[in-house]
Amino acid sequence: MGSFENKCVIVTGGAAGFGEAICRKFAGQGASVVVADLNLEGAQAVAGSLPSAIAIQVDVADEEANKAMAQAAVDAFGKIDVVCCNAGIPHRGNYMIKMEVDEFDRMWAVNVRSIFLAAKHCSPHMPPGSSIVNTASIGGKRPRPGLTPYNASKAAVNTLTRGMAVEMAPNIRVNAVCPVSAPTGFDMTALGVKDLPEDQNKAVIAGIPMGRRATPEDVANSVFFLASDDAEFLTGVCLDVDGGRSIQ
Ligand code: NAI
């Protein structure tokens, strides 16, 4: 018996990267998983490989899609025990004033509006003892130039997390993870490359005391811990999953 037997876990952005690893981690502990993603085919592929899961196409920035996501979870599994608000997008790395307004608005809606909408529409179905885990970023605490609006959106995720933690206590715990750079689809959106060029990769790693970038499993393990009973007294925690990057 896994520790998440008979529990329903929603994972947004569950088709790839951190989200896929989060789905697999909870499924490995017996959870029923709602794989929610804009990319339906990808979500179906992940859901189809898990013992108990459904896939649903969701744009996390859209209110109706969030309502449908909550309803689909309840229809399939009766309740919602954990919501991992993980879907998020960077923008193409550049100085802020070179960014287009539409790109700013879309990024902010996907990264920030989504947290509000998921909480609003999922929480009525969440029993006492349930939790929300948001994926923020270490850039929300220690921003560097080139992704300024993105970093600000993740600082907003951290602030939402801490405010929600108080508003939703004691029934629903709300925490966040703050990962450092990881080789996922994120690189393609932010930098336009599938793999970081060797010199850039070295420069990123040089800033991480643990000597490597994060993996999806590093992030999934931390999300899982925050949602688990081992963290039953933790709420409002924005956990650095950064190999020490933010210390220096
Ligand atoms: P990824 O690009 O590999 O996966 C993101 C997933 O989210 C994709 O399956 C995509 O289809 C889905 N998605 C994108 N927009 C969506 C929307 N509007 N509605 C529903 N699904 C949507 O990226 P990754 O790295 O797994 O990103 C996950 C989270 O981690 C994001 O919030 C990101 O900002 C954050 N993050 C990523 C870091 C990195 O270096 N990879 C570092 C710190 C935080």
Side-chain angles (χ1 to χ4, degrees), residues 108-132:
W108 200 271
V110 172
N111 292 0
V112 183
R113 189 174 198 258
S114 58
I115 309 279
F116 156 65
L117 291 174
K120 185 172 176 64
H121 294 296
C122 291
S123 59
H125 308 286
M126 299 176 75
S130 51
S131 80
I132 295 173

Side-chain angles (χ1 to χ4, degrees), residues 147-165:
L147 282 175
T148 294
Y150 169 80
N151 290 332
S153 78
K154 294 302 190 177
V157 173
N158 286 334
T159 302
L160 281 169
T161 299
R162 291 178 65 75
M164 287 162 62

Side-chain angles (χ1 to χ4, degrees), residues 60-61 87-92 96 99-114 147-154 156-157 186 189:
V60 291
I89 49 171
H91 46 84
R92 185 58 69 90
M96 184 177 79
M99 193 176 176
E100 297 299 332
V101 173
D102 286 352
E103 193 185 12
F104 181 100
D105 289 343
R106 174 67 181 159
M107 181 275 304
W108 200 271
V110 172
N111 292 0
V112 183
R113 189 174 198 258
S114 58
L147 282 175
T148 294
Y150 169 80
N151 290 332
S153 78
K154 294 302 190 177
V157 173
F186 186 96
T189 318

Side-chain angles (χ1 to χ4, degrees), residues 3-134:
S3 56
F4 275 76
E5 212 80 36
N6 299 318
K7 299 234 166 140
C8 166
V9 179
I10 296 178
V11 183
T12 69
F18 296 167
E20 177 178 357
I22 294 167
C23 291
R24 296 194 186 289
K25 180 73 187 179
F26 279 101
Q29 288 296 318
S32 294
V33 181
V34 177
V35 187
D37 204 291
L38 204 50
N39 171 3
L40 181 59
E41 226 173 276
Q44 285 169 333
V46 172
S49 70
L50 304 177
S52 173
I54 59 165
I56 177 168
Q57 185 167 38
V58 172
D59 176 353
V60 291
D62 179 76
E63 179 169 23
E64 291 308 315
N66 275 273
K67 278 187 198 167
M69 176 176 79
Q71 196 56 54
V74 172
D75 290 348
F77 305 118
K79 62 186 168 115
I80 302 168
D81 297 288
V82 180
V83 184
C84 301
C85 295
N86 165 76
I89 49 171
H91 46 84
R92 185 58 69 90
N94 209 337
Y95 286 105
M96 184 177 79
I97 56 171
K98 297 192 173 168
M99 193 176 176
E100 297 299 332
V101 173
D102 286 352
E103 193 185 12
F104 181 100
D105 289 343
R106 174 67 181 159
M107 181 275 304
W108 200 271
V110 172
N111 292 0
V112 183
R113 189 174 198 258
S114 58
I115 309 279
F116 156 65
L117 291 174
K120 185 172 176 64
H121 294 296
C122 291
S123 59
H125 308 286
M126 299 176 75
S130 51
S131 80
I132 295 173
V133 185
N134 300 319

Side-chain angles (χ1 to χ4, degrees), residues 144 180-181 196-214 242-248:
R144 286 186 176 159
V180 75
S181 171
L196 274 188
E198 195 46 38
D199 55 331
Q200 278 186 47
N201 197 41
K202 273 194 181 148
V204 171
I205 290 172
I208 304 174
M210 289 302 285
R212 64 170 175 82
R213 301 174 79 194
D242 73 339
R245 194 287 250 176
S246 56
I247 301 163
Q248 44 185 18

